[in-house]
Amino acid sequence: MTQPLETRKIAVDFDGTIVEDAYPAIGRERPFALRTLRALQEKGFVLVLWTCRTGTELQEAIDFCQKGGVTFYGINENFAGEPDGGARKIDADIYIDDRNFGGLPSWGEIYHKLCGEDVNVNRQDNSSRSNTSSLSKIRRALLGK
């Protein structure tokens, strides 16, 4: 990782990654997906929506993300006017997709790996979940609890 965090570009898939795969419908949001994407943007990451959706289905995905507070730098292409060098592949430093070799890690794991921040597990939580579970850790980190 040679670029500073402020200039890191992430290409993010939609179906199966941000939402559960229900294509052509919009599935339920995967736990903490939009919250994590917003937090990554606040850390200076640049997000590109990278999906096979087109037309109305693509607009529905864009609207879903915008309603959740995530606006993308580019959609299925590098930013308008940005040179692509003749390549069809999105220019990104990182690709987040449910079809990764080994599968999609939890959004908590993604945030932790990208930001390198330890999550404080010593704070009290009123939920019945274990304080050591990854989901509880990221929930507290993203909610500021």
Side-chain angles (χ1 to χ4, degrees):
M1 294 191 210
T2 58
Q3 287 183 297
L5 289 178
E6 302 83 44
T7 60
R8 308 273 326 265
K9 193 183 303 180
I10 304 173
V12 184
D13 181 38
F14 184 74
D15 294 290
T17 303
I18 295 175
V19 297
E20 294 175 0
D21 195 353
Y23 183 83
I26 303 279
R28 289 189 338 220
E29 179 186 352
R30 292 185 59 111
F32 304 107
L34 293 174
R35 188 175 304 241
T36 302
L37 291 171
R38 287 192 310 268
L40 290 172
Q41 284 181 310
E42 290 171 9
K43 292 281 187 185
F45 288 87
V46 174
L47 305 179
V48 175
L49 182 61
W50 179 43
T51 178
C52 291
R53 287 178 174 256
T54 59
T56 302
E57 294 164 350
L58 174 59
Q59 189 59 53
E60 290 169 351
I62 294 167
D63 293 344
F64 178 87
C65 292
Q66 285 179 339
K67 185 176 179 182
V70 176
T71 302
F72 294 96
Y73 172 81
I75 298 170
N76 285 339
E77 63 183 359
N78 299 322
F79 186 71
E82 185 176 37
D84 63 9
R88 289 185 6 221
K89 189 172 185 178
I90 299 293
D91 174 35
D93 301 299
I94 300 164
Y95 297 84
I96 301 175
D97 191 327
D98 62 308
R99 300 202 181 209
N100 291 326
F101 180 76
L104 179 69
S106 74
W107 279 99
E109 291 173 89
I110 292 169
Y111 182 84
H112 179 75
K113 285 182 179 183
L114 292 175
C115 296
E117 295 178 357
D118 290 328
V119 180
N120 184 349
V121 295
N122 295 322
R123 295 181 183 203
Q124 292 298 316
D125 185 335
N126 294 330
S127 74
S128 61
R129 294 183 186 169
S130 165
N131 282 343
T132 59
S133 76
S134 294
L135 194 56
S136 292
K137 290 177 187 177
I138 192 62
R139 185 174 140 260
R140 286 192 304 275
L142 293 174
L143 295 175
K145 294 182 178 179

